[in-house]
Amino acid sequence: MPRLNMAQETTLILFKPDAVQKNLVGQVLARYQTEGFTIRGIKMMTLSDEILAEHYSHIAEMPFFPSVRGFMQESPIVALALAGEDVITKVRDLLGPTDSNAAEAGTIRGDLGDKSGDSKMRNVCHASDSPEAAQAELKRFFNDGELF
Ligand code: ADP
């Protein structure tokens, strides 16, 4: 039964350098498209220190932040704007928790994230965690005219 009040939303997904390096972008995108979500924007880009400081301001004081910044600059990433009903929550659910070792089989991080020491960092994708975050992050990674 469809739930009432399901919101049409757009979320921001980043395919992190581990996903790009391991050629996982296609299969992860397929998982999301199989759910019926649609692409509003997609592009490859490198991430500057400035955009990473802004995007990861909530972990900027953590001891692991320099490693995360270095990881996110290892190779280009793929930014994706994905739309659909309740897409923000559903994309996070399909992704799984931060630590790939704690993520259940069947989730993207559980199936495809790092399992050998970098499991908290090399976790395939970023995805917005709230409507407010999605709005700010879409603006951060996509310019006017790049969303359709
Ligand atoms: P999420 O991406 O699951 O929302 P956070 O916003 O808490 O997680 O953290 C941002 C990113 O920083 C994570 O996706 C991961 O790449 C990295 N990270 C988080 N915690 C750690 C940690 N303890 N050690 C190394 N990297 C981490």
Side-chain angles (χ1 to χ4, degrees):
M1 280 281 283
R3 278 173 38 213
L4 294 176
N5 302 322
M6 287 208 293
Q8 273 291 332
E9 299 171 328
T10 303
T11 195
L12 183 277
I13 296 171
L14 301 178
F15 293 87
K16 298 186 182 188
D18 59 328
V20 172
Q21 290 162 11
K22 294 196 276 186
N23 285 339
L24 298 175
V25 175
Q27 58 173 293
V28 175
L29 181 56
R31 289 194 189 201
Y32 285 136
Q33 290 205 290
T34 298
E35 296 295 314
F37 299 130
T38 55
I39 297 172
R40 289 193 55 205
I42 187 165
K43 65 175 176 181
M44 199 166 208
M45 62 194 287
T46 55
L47 300 181
S48 65
D49 288 353
E50 289 71 27
I51 202 168
L52 283 169
E54 206 180 290
H55 184 64
Y56 281 138
S57 60
H58 61 292
I59 58 164
E61 304 305 321
M62 305 300 267
F64 56 81
F65 176 69
S67 303
V68 172
R69 184 177 54 210
F71 162 56
M72 294 297 289
Q73 294 177 330
E74 274 180 15
S75 67
I77 60 93
V78 175
L80 171 70
L82 198 69
E85 284 179 352
D86 283 343
V87 70
I88 296 169
T89 301
K90 287 180 181 163
V91 159
R92 292 277 298 191
D93 288 349
L94 290 165
L95 186 57
T98 307
D99 185 347
S100 306
N101 277 334
E104 283 181 31
T107 64
I108 289 162
R109 285 172 169 169
D111 293 347
L112 303 171
D114 185 273
K115 298 289 178 188
S116 63
D118 272 340
S119 65
K120 290 182 182 157
M121 184 171 80
R122 295 179 180 271
N123 56 11
V124 192
C125 285
H126 163 83
S128 308
D129 64 4
S130 67
E132 297 72 28
Q135 192 179 21
E137 292 174 359
L138 287 163
K139 211 168 149 59
R140 181 172 303 140
F141 289 94
F142 286 93
N143 299 316
D144 287 347
E146 291 182 331
L147 293 183
F148 297 89

